Structure formats: structure tokens, C-alpha cells
Amino acid sequence: MTSGAEALARLVVDVPDYPEPGVVFKDVTPLLADPAGLRAVVAALADAGRRDGEVVVDAVVGMEARGFLFGTPVALELGVGFVPVRKAGKLPRETHSRSYALEYGEATLQIHRDALAPGARVLLVDDVLATGGTVEATRELVTACGAEAVGVAVLMELSFLHGRARLGDLPLTALLTL
Ligand SMILES: O=P(O)(O)OC[C@H]1O[C@H](OP(=O)(O)OP(=O)(O)O)[C@H](O)[C@@H]1O
Ligand SMILES: Nc1ncnc2[nH]cnc12
């Protein structure tokens, strides 16, 4: 059987100097194309939304774009809904916004103001934790909705970028730490 860590080691490709010199980009498209590998990492990420076998989150939030690809199947696996956090200008109704910096640039993220029920317990899902700017901004957006981020689950943590330090008390599940 394929484990999540084995799938990541085999199916994530390092691309040096993309999208700019000095960055080693983690390309997850071969993982997405491999049904057994994809199933293994989705199952492992979903475990972050359970305690003692019980689902303890009310929603999964995924960040554009790769957080959508992993967050949606994780939500299905947990039996909860999926809420997208999008780059600025993509959501059609009233939003909350947060700007942030990441390993190779800056961006603004948005969430629909009514996307989460007040008090909802939310699992954040993404592919990579790098500087932590994306997760920090997303957590603030969840809080602005009156909900609470109770955990973050990622495929890979790039520990040399110290994203964990920006998470405060938010529990992190990383299937692979590099
Ligand atoms: O921890 P950070 O430094 O914030 O970096 C991590 C984020 O960077 C990547 O997304 P990107 O913004 O490149 O968007 P994409 O998924 O649309 O390519 C990645 O998918 C994470 O969301
Ligand atoms: N090195 C990297 N590879 C893929 N996604 C990223 N997001 C931020 N840094 C990244």
C-alpha cells in the first residue's frame, strides 16, 4: 500500500530556479496524476481533522490554487463542506481581504464574508507551508468570519523558511518536513 510520505518522496518533483532564481519549486502535478498516491496523501491530510477517529472540524478551507486540489477531497473524506480562499478579485460577493508576502512575491487573499458559520471549527489545507504568509493570512480571514482555525494540514513544510514560527498555537500536520 502507498503511504503519504512514500507518495510525496516519489511523486513530487523539484524544479530548480522556478519561478525565480534561487527557489526550488515543489511540483505536485505528478502526485495529482497518480491515483494511489493521491488517495494516500488525501487520507493522511484528513487525519488532521479527526481526534480518536471522530471528525472534529465543521469545514475545510483551502487556499488558491493548490489548496483547492487537496482541500476539496479532504472535505469529502471528512464529510464536511469546502470553503475556498481566493486571490483578490475572484469571489463575486462581499469579502474579507488580507495581503501577505510569500517566498516569491506578494498577494491578497479573500473569503466570502458569509462562507463560514459563526464558531465553526476549520481545518486549513494546502500543499506547501513555506514562509507561512498564506496560512497566517488565511487564519485571519477565518477569524474575520467569526470562525476558528483549529489546525493546518500540508503535504510539505519547507522548514528552512520558518513558516511554523508564524502559526503561533495553531497545530500543524505536515506529511513531509524538508
Ligand atoms: O507559506 P507561503 O510562503 O505563504 O507559501 C505557500 C503558498 O505558496 C504556494 O501558493 P501560490 O501563492 O504560489 O499559489 P498557487 O497555488 O496559485 O500557485 C503554495 O501553494 C502555498 O499556498
Ligand atoms: N518552493 C515552493 N514550491 C512550491 N510551492 C511553494 N510555495 C512557496 N514556496 C514554494
Side-chain angles (χ1 to χ4, degrees), residues 23-26 66 102-104 127-128 130 158:
V23 175
V24 179
F25 189 83
K26 300 290 178 184
R66 285 167 269 151
L102 71 168
E103 192 182 3
Y104 39 72
D127 63 336
V128 172
L158 307 184

Side-chain angles (χ1 to χ4, degrees), residues 120-154:
R121 293 163 57 84
V122 174
L123 177 66
L124 313 185
V125 173
D126 209 343
D127 63 336
V128 172
L129 177 75
T131 67
T134 301
V135 168
E136 190 175 38
T138 301
R139 187 185 198 180
E140 289 173 9
L141 290 171
V142 166
T143 302
C145 290
E148 183 192 4
V150 296
V152 53
V154 297

Side-chain angles (χ1 to χ4, degrees), residues 46-137:
D47 281 342
R50 297 192 189 95
R51 292 288 169 278
D52 301 323
E54 297 289 317
V55 174
V56 294
V57 296
D58 304 303
V60 169
V61 164
M63 301 79 128
E64 185 169 355
R66 285 167 269 151
F68 297 173
L69 301 170
F70 297 99
T72 305
V74 167
L76 277 173
E77 177 123 348
L78 291 172
V80 301
F82 175 81
V83 172
V85 159
R86 296 215 62 180
K87 305 269 168 69
K90 298 290 187 181
L91 290 171
R93 296 183 293 104
E94 268 201 297
T95 59
H96 296 293
S97 299
R98 289 291 181 280
S99 296
Y100 66 106
L102 71 168
E103 192 182 3
Y104 39 72
E106 13 184 279
T108 299
L109 289 177
Q110 298 183 322
I111 194 169
H112 273 142
R113 283 178 177 249
D114 62 358
L116 293 164
R121 293 163 57 84
V122 174
L123 177 66
L124 313 185
V125 173
D126 209 343
D127 63 336
V128 172
L129 177 75
T131 67
T134 301
V135 168
E136 190 175 38

